[in-house]
Amino acid sequence: MNTRSRLIPTLAVLVSSALSAPAAWTKDDPAAGAALYATHCTACHGAERAGVPPTFPALIDVGKRLQPAQIKEKIRKGGGLMPPFPQLSEQEIDNLASYLAK
């Protein structure tokens, strides 16, 4: 069997694996994050992310105040009056953080 004959089945397996890869291969989706924000965050932070200071901070410029990892950690663990959101998957947290950081 020559090299080319062995390479084609190997490439087919790699392409097939990549196409059926889990969500870890997906990129952040700010539009999906906006939908999550509407569901989980507007009650406290408002539809326009203006918040109700000082109780619920504005999130309009949160991307300037916090690093993406800090935003994700706050979503995961909560803090102060903000509850944690353990029901969100890592991809959902990435999407929500992406939306908030822009």
Side-chain angles (χ1 to χ4, degrees), residues 17-102:
S17 296
L19 292 175
S20 63
W25 284 62
T26 62
K27 295 187 183 254
D28 297 348
D29 182 354
L36 289 164
Y37 180 87
T39 301
H40 299 287
C41 309
T42 57
C44 296
H45 297 284
E48 302 299 320
R49 302 191 298 173
V52 182
T55 308
F56 303 111
L59 299 179
I60 295 167
D61 64 346
V62 73
K64 294 178 184 172
R65 294 183 281 126
L66 300 175
Q67 296 294 317
Q70 293 172 306
I71 296 170
K72 291 175 189 182
E73 189 70 7
K74 189 70 162 179
I75 295 166
R76 269 187 215 97
K77 294 187 175 181
L81 294 176
M82 182 170 156
F85 287 88
Q87 72 274 27
L88 298 179
S89 70
E90 284 303 309
Q91 185 63 56
E92 289 172 319
I93 291 171
D94 290 347
N95 292 342
L96 182 53
S98 176
Y99 169 72
L100 291 171
K102 58 178 225 176

